Amino acid sequence: MKIGLIGGTGLYDLFHLLTEQCIETEYGQVPLLKGEYEGKKVYFLPRHGTVHGVLAPYVNYKANLMALKKAGVDQIIAVSAVGSVNPDIPISGLTLPDQLVDFTRRRENTYGKFSADMTLPFCPDLQQAVRSAAQENGQKLYENTTLICVDGPIYETRNELQLFSSWGMDIVGMTNATEAALARELGICFSVVTLSTDLATGFASIPPDLATHKKVAAENKEKVKALVEKALSLLPKQKSCQCAKSYNDYMFLKK
Ligand SMILES: [Zn+2]
């Protein structure tokens, strides 16, 4: 099995002998960083580029996911910074969402070949590995939560946030719904762990800003790394999920 990690630069030093490999796709060229962890091949994809330059709406998601597919990756753990609209999830809280609502309106989230089943958007096998990792590490993980994905890069208005909260949303992000949909279309298992870097409740006295976001991300780097590292070591050898079913059915019918 080959594992993909999507996230910020804080995860680089998980691996030994990280080498860059450029993958050509029909959607563009993607540099991946290849390494090993406990004998498993790991491909690291810096979501926003290596210098955190590309904002969420302009990320080339279709190229990114296709590059991981071409590299042979069949399981992806993504890490994202989000805002909390559930006041129970504090700044620095780690969340394992099990549902998502795609509220993006200006980006493509499909390769347009067939209709993939997204009833359960995240891989249960990967989620179990993350859950067990948090337990073994003694880390608090917020579960049974829903992530709402917006276009960004602009932050939400107070009324938008109150609306999301009234809908029962827990966290707001800008990338994961797109990644989850494209991964599902390619038959790749996908799960996300989020770090809340601001309280996007619309009631918070401190408005969200990039400096705070970066500060919280930096302060929690080791915590996130410890969780991902442990989850990698707990991944099951045999899959029991149905993440690849739509893709396999499509490939079978195409023959
Ligand atoms: Zn799966």
Side-chain angles (χ1 to χ4, degrees):
M1 269 188 224
K2 290 182 183 175
I3 301 151
L5 288 180
I6 305 180
T9 51
L11 290 173
Y12 279 13
D13 46 354
L14 253 181
F15 314 112
H16 306 292
L17 305 171
L18 216 54
T19 53
E20 190 167 317
Q21 184 180 354
C22 217
I23 308 267
E24 291 285 347
T25 79
E26 61 206 283
Y27 307 99
Q29 210 177 47
V30 179
L32 295 179
L33 297 164
K34 195 166 106 180
E36 265 196 29
Y37 184 75
E38 292 187 350
K40 293 166 184 155
K41 282 199 169 54
V42 181
Y43 288 81
F44 182 74
L45 172 70
R47 180 186 288 119
H48 301 279
T50 43
V51 287
H52 200 95
V54 187
L55 291 168
Y58 314 114
V59 169
N60 192 345
Y61 296 98
K62 287 169 83 167
N64 283 353
L65 274 297
M66 187 58 85
L68 288 168
K69 179 76 180 174
K70 285 194 163 187
V73 164
D74 58 359
Q75 291 176 311
I76 296 172
I77 297 179
V79 175
S80 278
V82 295
S84 298
V85 281
N86 175 348
D88 293 339
I89 304 175
I91 287 180
S92 303
L94 293 172
T95 301
L96 179 69
D98 57 5
Q99 271 297 328
L100 62 81
V101 169
D102 190 351
F103 207 61
T104 61
R105 289 162 288 177
R106 296 189 294 276
R107 65 175 83 154
E108 280 191 60
N109 68 345
T110 177
Y111 293 103
K113 306 285 189 194
F114 62 95
S115 296
D117 176 12
M118 279 292 277
T119 312
L120 298 174
F122 301 116
C123 173
D125 287 358
L126 293 180
Q127 287 185 298
Q128 187 51 48
V130 174
R131 200 174 287 126
S132 305
Q135 276 163 7
E136 285 200 20
N137 285 353
Q139 292 178 290
K140 171 79 179 159
L141 192 63
Y142 294 87
E143 295 188 60
N144 305 312
T145 50
T146 301
L147 180 150
I148 185 163
C149 185
V150 296
D151 279 308
I154 194 166
Y155 289 116
E156 302 74 31
T157 67
R158 176 175 297 172
N159 281 21
E160 283 168 343
L161 293 168
Q162 286 175 347
L163 183 67
F164 296 166
S165 181
S166 75
W167 285 348
M169 304 294 106
D170 297 287
I171 45 178
V172 188
M174 294 179 186
T175 54
N176 300 124
T178 318
E179 290 170 347
L182 295 170
R184 180 60 52 85
E185 283 195 343
L186 295 173
I188 306 174
C189 297
F190 181 89
S191 180
V192 62
V193 176
T194 69
L195 171 74
S196 289
T197 55
D198 63 83
L199 297 173
T201 57
F203 309 103
S205 54
I206 308 165
D209 68 88
L210 191 59
T212 312
H213 165 101
K214 284 190 167 174
K215 183 171 168 275
V216 177
E219 283 168 359
N220 289 278
K221 185 178 141 181
E222 294 305 319
K223 191 168 86 175
V224 173
K225 236 174 76 176
L227 182 63
V228 173
E229 202 168 18
K230 182 61 81 176
L232 288 180
S233 68
L234 294 175
L235 287 176
K237 290 194 171 54
Q238 293 291 325
K239 290 185 181 184
S240 65
C241 61
Q242 295 292 309
C243 302
K245 188 178 182 308
S246 301
Y247 174 78
N248 290 340
D249 289 351
Y250 165 71
M251 294 304 277
F252 179 75
L253 288 171
K254 221 176 84 167
K255 276 180 192 167

